[in-house]
């Protein structure tokens, strides 16, 4: 497939704070690429670099041209922070943004797409937070872009509105629109994205199909049993350990849950409840980024460091996105 976006060794610093540390990626036509990562990882700075709204070292091409030379009719952008005039209605705002392009979509169609047909004549300041965000999404769609950048598009949107927006983005991607989005919602990333990239310390530390990332970094399934049973007294074929008031049994397939229940019964142990869960993108996130939002490496990498097989580095300047925002003022 033809790459719509190609970025190589993108770097951006603000004083001594490293916001982007050599990010390289490509996104194919019609692909949805989701960027996830801790606050301060560099997600917003990367979107700015890819769209030419901030200077950066390295190379970025959109449709084979630099981000400041590309035909702007082909690109849509929703920034994370967007504050349109409060005393205009949703319809007036979209009319205004549509007027910035030679060819734009019908405003009424965009209002319908983002679920604002019934509130189109309400002042922006009187819309709910979720309705305001949907208006902002609409402003990025009026030019019918071939490449759409969305920085946390569903922030503040209620669950029903979020799912409606997911349906819209899936429809756009099915129609050939290339989408790059940032999100903290792992369910959103897993549902929408063909590939997910995890950014930490300004580096793209992993990028792949969501299921492949879960298989590589998500860990094992877990069966949590509320019981005081001693794992040593149970005849189990799976690793088990105490965790507070519960017994945690790892790597149990769902069809083997009955075997664990039988083992508890055979040992004369009772239980109050049990919960089985399989790993997901949130587990990948927690595996690769530590509590402070720095790159932590996978289990194998950390084990190598503990054994003397690595240098243990990986942390960079804190809150790079915050410094980026300060540097852009």
């Amino acid at each position: 497939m033809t790459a719509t976006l190609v970025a190589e060794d993108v770097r951006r610093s603000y004083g001594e704070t490293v916001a982007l540390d050599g990010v390289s990626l490509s996104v194919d036509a019609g692909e949805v690429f989701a960027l996830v990562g801790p606050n301060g990882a560099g997600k917003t700075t990367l979107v700015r670099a890819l769209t030419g709204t901030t200077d950066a070292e390295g190379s970025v091409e959109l449709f084979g041209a630099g981000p400041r030379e590309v035909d702007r009719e082909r690109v849509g952008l929703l920034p994370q922070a967007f504050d349109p005039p409060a005393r205009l209605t949703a319809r007036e705002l979209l009319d205004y943004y549509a007027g910035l392009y030679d060819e734009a979509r019908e405003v009424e169609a965009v209002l319908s797409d983002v679920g604002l047909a019934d509130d189109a004549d309400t002042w922006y300041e009187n819309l709910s937070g979720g309705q305001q965000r949907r208006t902002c999404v609409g402003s990025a769609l009026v030019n019918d872009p071939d490449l759409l950048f969305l920085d946390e598009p569903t922030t503040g949107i209620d669950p029903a509105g979020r799912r409606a927006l997911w349906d819209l983005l899936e429809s756009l991607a099915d129609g050939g629109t290339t989408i790059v989005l940032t999100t903290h919602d792992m369910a959103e990333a897993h549902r929408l994205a063909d590939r997910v990239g995890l950014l930490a310390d300004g580096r793209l530390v992993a990028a792949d199909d969501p299921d492949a990332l879960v298989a590589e970094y998500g860990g094992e399934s877990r069966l949590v049993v509320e019981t005081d049973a001693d794992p040593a007294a149970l005849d189990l074929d799976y690793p088990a350990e105490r965790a507070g008031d519960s017994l945690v049994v790892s790597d149990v397939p769902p069809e083997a849950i009955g075997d664990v229940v039988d083992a508890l019964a055979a040992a004369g142990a009772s239980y109050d409840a049990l919960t089985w869960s399989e790993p997901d993108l949130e587990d990948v996130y927690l595996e690769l980024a530590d509590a402070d939002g720095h790159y932590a490496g996978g289990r194998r990498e950390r084990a190598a460091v503990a054994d003397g097989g690595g240098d243990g580095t990986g942390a960079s300047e804190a809150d790079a996105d915050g410094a980026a925002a300060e540097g852009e003022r």
Side-chain angles (χ1 to χ4, degrees):
M1 296 182 69
T2 303
T4 295
L5 182 159
V6 178
E8 296 181 357
D9 197 29
V10 178
R11 299 176 181 272
R12 184 68 162 102
S13 296
Y14 298 89
E16 295 183 355
T17 299
V18 178
L20 298 175
D21 189 11
V23 175
S24 296
L25 62 90
S26 65
V27 182
D28 288 334
E31 183 179 15
V32 180
F33 188 93
L35 280 167
V36 302
N39 291 328
K43 300 185 299 297
T44 292
T45 303
L46 181 56
V47 170
R48 290 172 176 159
L50 296 177
T51 55
T53 55
T54 191
D55 293 324
E57 299 178 22
S59 171
V60 176
E61 289 190 350
L62 312 179
F63 305 105
R68 291 175 179 168
E69 287 75 44
V70 70
D71 180 359
R72 304 310 299 179
E73 303 269 341
R74 304 190 68 184
V75 180
L77 168 63
L78 173 64
Q80 184 183 92
F82 188 50
D83 191 20
R87 289 297 183 96
L88 292 180
T89 67
R91 177 179 283 110
E92 289 169 337
L93 283 168
L94 295 192
D95 269 330
Y96 168 75
Y97 290 112
L100 300 177
Y101 301 97
D102 293 332
E103 295 185 15
R105 295 184 59 201
E106 290 291 334
V107 167
E108 297 305 316
V110 178
L111 287 166
S112 177
D113 282 347
V114 297
L116 286 173
D118 294 336
D119 299 284
D121 295 315
T122 302
W123 281 351
Y124 182 82
E125 66 179 2
N126 292 333
L127 295 171
S128 69
Q131 289 172 325
Q132 289 180 347
R133 195 58 177 166
R134 281 186 273 161
T135 302
C136 296
V137 171
S139 72
L141 300 180
V142 291
N143 58 316
D144 195 18
D146 298 317
L147 172 58
L148 180 60
F149 291 91
L150 301 170
D151 198 352
E152 299 192 25
T154 59
T155 298
I157 299 179
D158 63 80
R162 185 182 306 119
R163 291 182 181 276
L165 184 56
W166 291 352
D167 289 341
L168 171 60
L169 296 180
E170 287 174 332
S171 175
L172 291 172
D174 289 342
T177 303
T178 306
I179 301 174
V180 177
L181 65 93
T182 75
T183 183
H184 286 291
D185 187 332
M186 297 300 111
E188 179 170 280
H190 203 145
R191 170 169 166 173
L192 293 179
D194 298 296
R195 285 186 300 143
V196 173
L198 177 72
L199 207 64
D201 288 334
R203 291 185 288 153
L204 192 64
V205 299
D208 209 336
D209 169 272
D211 291 333
L213 288 174
V214 171
E216 176 71 16
Y217 299 107
E220 302 86 10
S221 62
R222 289 160 50 93
L223 179 66
V224 179
V225 186
E226 293 182 18
T227 178
D228 58 5
D230 180 358
L234 302 176
D235 182 16
L236 291 173
D237 294 328
Y238 308 98
E241 60 183 2
R242 296 291 312 173
D245 296 330
S246 299
L247 177 74
V248 179
V249 188
S250 301
D251 205 18
V252 182
E255 62 270 17
I257 294 175
D259 296 339
V260 177
V261 173
D262 291 342
L264 289 167
S270 62
Y271 66 92
D272 296 322
L274 55 83
T275 305
W276 181 86
S277 63
E278 58 184 344
D280 55 20
L281 274 179
E282 184 170 325
D283 294 299
V284 175
Y285 178 109
L286 296 173
E287 173 70 7
L288 295 176
D290 66 20
D292 295 320
H294 297 305
Y295 175 53
R299 286 183 294 272
R300 289 189 292 273
E301 182 172 330
R302 292 201 298 273
V305 171
D307 292 338
D311 61 10
T313 60
S316 68
E317 303 293 335
D319 203 6
D321 271 345
E326 184 70 26
E328 290 299 314
R329 292 176 184 169

